[in-house]
Amino acid sequence: HKSGWKAVVSTQSTGGLGSSASFCCSLVMGLLQLCGREDVSQEEVNRMAFEGEKVFHGTPSGVDNTVCVYGGTLRFRRSSAGPPSFTPVPCSSATKPRLLIVNSGAAHSTRSIVEQVRA
């Protein structure tokens, strides 16, 4: 490799919940740090992570990587006239919903599910 380094990633995660977005955001931040580019904006990190998400999912919405970069709760709106919009949704401790997340152990491909929904 011309760069002098090589990254090998091995993962079995196919359960959803934004694992690919978490990976893409972590990879972008790690590479930027390695290159001494810690001055990059969250917006740019999000854009680069979204490009990684395209490798995993083809045509992702951008929700997962956006939440990974900015945190919090977001409202997603798809637009036929341009890119989707993401609006922060404030949640106080009194209004936060209670969630129970269970790992079924069933592997799936988000890419194939997204392709089925768009068909």
Side-chain angles (χ1 to χ4, degrees):
H1 299 271
K2 285 184 175 182
S3 63
W5 61 275
K6 176 181 175 181
V8 178
V9 178
S10 176
T11 179
Q12 298 292 341
S13 180
T14 56
L17 296 176
S19 57
S20 62
S22 296
F23 170 77
C24 290
C25 291
S26 298
L27 180 64
V28 167
M29 291 300 295
L31 291 173
L32 287 170
Q33 188 174 33
L34 184 68
C35 296
R37 293 291 316 275
E38 297 177 32
D39 60 329
V40 176
S41 70
Q42 286 182 304
E43 182 180 353
E44 186 65 8
V45 169
N46 194 35
R47 187 195 64 72
M48 289 186 263
F50 182 68
E51 292 302 316
E53 278 283 84
K54 288 179 183 178
V55 173
F56 283 98
H57 304 301
T59 54
S61 67
V63 171
D64 290 349
N65 54 282
T66 302
V67 170
C68 285
V69 171
Y70 295 101
T73 305
L74 299 175
R75 176 177 291 123
F76 168 77
R77 294 215 172 142
R78 187 172 301 281
S79 170
S80 59
S85 66
F86 304 96
T87 309
V89 177
C91 288
S92 70
S93 59
T95 61
K96 285 184 180 175
R98 293 176 185 237
L99 299 174
L100 174 62
I101 299 172
V102 178
N103 183 356
S104 67
H108 67 274
S109 165
T110 302
R111 177 188 281 257
S112 65
I113 293 170
V114 168
E115 287 171 353
Q116 291 172 22
V117 169
R118 293 182 189 252

